[in-house]
Amino acid sequence: MNNAGAQVREQVQEPVREHAREVDVVVVGAGQAGLSSAYHLRRTGFEPERDFVVLDHAPRPGGAWQFRWPSLTYGKVHGMHALPGMELTDADPDRPSSEVVAEYFDAYEHAFDLRVRRPVDVRAVREGDAGRLLVETSDGTWSTRALINATGTWDRPFWPRYPGQETFRGRQLHTAQYAGPQDFAGQRVVVVGGGASGTQHLLEIAPYAAGTTWVTRRPPVFREGPFSEDVGREAVALVEERVRQGLPPKSVVSVTGLPLNDAIRQGLADGVLDRLPMFDRIASDGVEWDDGRRVAADVILWATGFRAAVDHLAPLRLREPGGGIRVEGTRAVADARIHLVGYGPSASTIGANRAGRAAVRDIRRLLADSPRVAPPDPATTVGPVTPVGPVGPVAPVAVEAAG
């Protein structure tokens, strides 16, 4: 084949890049962090579908809350901070939190006309042309000047690996698959993990199971007294320092300890929360320690937490040698166009709200420095966003300051 033929063949094999829809900002995720970010974009003059778009892979509103187990009622939730601009009022504490929060998020999306697109899977974010980013999704490609990543952690449950794990004849499941305590009736259950989910599972399962065993890598720390602002700030500072160094973030709960409430006290008194150190191996019918101790088990429930769902950002090479993405505030240090909201220190409901506001403030500055000018800020021109239409069990509140 001559050179001309070779060139033709190469041109045919070159992938054709589909037409990308252009916006200024893409928000990935519509949980607490994503909705907060979208609200602040709307409040500062960005129009949904014209200037920004919110992409959510979940089938319906509710973020990760919609996947929580039914026995996790709203009254058991350790803290659910309202989204900016609208309070959640008169919620029944005996209803599943998955229902209460999903209805709240749904009403919020409609009240502020956020026009979330779902279900849309974001597959990759790549470098585009003229300083733009290409966001490849199951619903086509978007071209954007900035991206707010608010994907949370629920899609990346962490499963530790231990010798002999593959030989276990019983059932293994993660918190992400937990559907309620009835599934463990008459079984011997080992619960692994020292966080809030682990203790909640144990307290729920104990009345149904033939026996429960709690194992953790470190002794649990129970916190007496109220969760003050000072304690919260100290915890956030510790998590913030890790992401500033490019290390994988720890949860805020991991540095605050577990609240010592009445249910926890009863569990300690009943022996349900008697903790054993982490086992060394898994056998076909239980778990074993090097000192000869052994516990028979029908089920191992891994309440071992989650990791940040950021694999779609891999083409941008944001990860540091330490394994995390280095972040200042919400901005990825390696790429000022990328903001991570709900990552590290902002991975809490109140943290996500504040981070959404901070991310939008920084993005406005970024876009103002580029040729295309960002919309005017109505914080000083046209006032706050006004909810549209009826909102059921939620009510609008005073809008937070933008700056």
Side-chain angles (χ1 to χ4, degrees):
M1 181 181 291
N2 59 29
N3 288 341
Q7 291 173 357
V8 169
R9 184 177 64 182
E10 289 173 1
Q11 290 172 0
V12 170
Q13 291 176 339
E14 183 73 21
V16 178
R17 180 173 286 177
E18 63 179 289
H19 174 70
R21 291 161 284 187
E22 290 192 357
V23 289
D24 287 327
V25 186
V26 169
V27 180
V28 184
Q32 188 101 12
L35 294 182
S36 170
S37 301
Y39 167 86
H40 286 292
L41 285 168
R42 286 277 282 120
R43 181 172 183 263
T44 53
F46 290 82
E47 284 293 325
E49 297 292 329
R50 185 195 72 187
D51 304 314
F52 77 94
V53 66
V54 184
L55 309 176
D56 186 33
H57 84 107
R60 54 192 176 274
W65 289 96
Q66 66 191 277
F67 305 114
R68 307 290 191 191
W69 50 99
S71 55
L72 181 62
T73 58
Y74 187 69
K76 294 178 182 177
V77 172
H78 285 308
M80 166 66 195
H81 197 270
L83 286 161
M86 182 178 290
E87 290 285 353
L88 171 57
T89 60
D90 300 325
D92 183 350
D94 295 325
R95 287 188 67 201
S97 59
S98 57
E99 295 178 4
V100 172
V101 179
E103 290 174 6
Y104 172 48
F105 281 15
D106 186 31
Y108 190 87
E109 290 179 17
H110 285 90
F112 294 109
D113 191 28
L114 300 181
R115 305 182 208 177
V116 178
R117 288 176 173 250
R118 61 167 63 88
V120 177
D121 292 321
V122 174
R123 295 167 176 164
V125 181
R126 306 182 189 279
E127 191 64 52
D129 298 325
R132 301 180 74 95
L133 296 163
L134 286 179
V135 183
E136 299 173 359
T137 82
S138 58
D139 188 35
T141 301
W142 296 83
S143 173
T144 183
R145 297 200 287 162
L147 182 136
I148 296 176
N149 193 80
T151 46
T153 62
W154 186 260
D155 295 324
R156 284 206 57 202
F158 175 63
W159 291 74
R161 293 289 174 255
Y162 280 85
Q165 196 162 2
E166 71 285 352
T167 70
F168 185 62
R169 294 197 300 263
R171 180 187 177 202
Q172 296 186 63
L173 73 158
H174 190 275
T175 289
Q177 301 162 304
Y178 180 81
Q182 298 87 346
D183 292 349
F184 305 91
Q187 297 182 313
R188 299 162 298 179
V189 184
V190 173
V191 177
V192 183
S197 294
T199 55
Q200 288 171 1
H201 295 334
L202 282 158
L203 295 175
E204 287 191 352
I205 291 169
Y208 294 85
T212 60
T213 302
W214 186 27
V215 296
T216 69
R217 285 190 303 152
R218 291 180 294 272
V221 176
F222 296 102
R223 175 175 47 80
E224 290 268 16
F227 188 77
S228 67
E229 287 190 16
D230 288 341
V231 172
R233 278 194 292 268
E234 291 172 7
V236 167
L238 290 172
V239 179
E240 199 168 43
E241 183 57 29
R242 283 186 62 86
V243 298
R244 198 178 284 123
Q245 295 175 11
L247 299 172
K250 287 185 176 181
S251 69
V252 173
V253 172
S254 71
V255 294
T256 61
L258 296 163
L260 192 55
N261 55 32
D262 291 343
I264 293 291
R265 288 190 178 91
Q266 190 61 53
L268 290 168
D270 293 343
V272 173
L273 297 182
D274 286 348
R275 169 260 179 194
L276 294 176
M278 197 64 206
F279 49 74
D280 296 296
R281 71 189 66 84
I282 300 175
S284 62
D285 58 351
V287 296
E288 300 174 345
W289 287 259
D290 286 343
D291 62 6
R293 182 166 31 189
R294 194 174 188 283
V295 170
D298 304 300
V299 180
I300 301 175
L301 172 53
W302 299 93
T304 44
F306 299 79
R307 299 293 183 264
V310 292
D311 289 350
H312 53 287
L313 301 178
L316 299 176
R317 302 181 182 277
L318 301 177
R319 285 194 187 274
E320 299 289 329
I325 298 175
R326 195 151 65 98
V327 173
E328 288 282 356
T330 62
R331 175 182 54 83
V333 172
D335 192 329
R337 298 168 298 177
I338 307 293
H339 283 258
L340 286 86
V341 180
Y343 178 85
S346 63
S348 65
T349 57
I350 188 169
N353 286 352
R354 293 170 177 168
R357 181 176 60 187
V360 170
R361 183 176 59 239
D362 284 356
I363 285 172
R364 282 191 55 79
R365 291 171 183 156
L366 174 74
L367 300 188
D369 289 338
S370 58
R372 187 174 169 189
V373 179
D377 187 346
T380 57
T381 56
V382 298
V385 175
T386 301
V388 294
V391 295
V394 291
V397 296
V399 180
E400 299 172 316

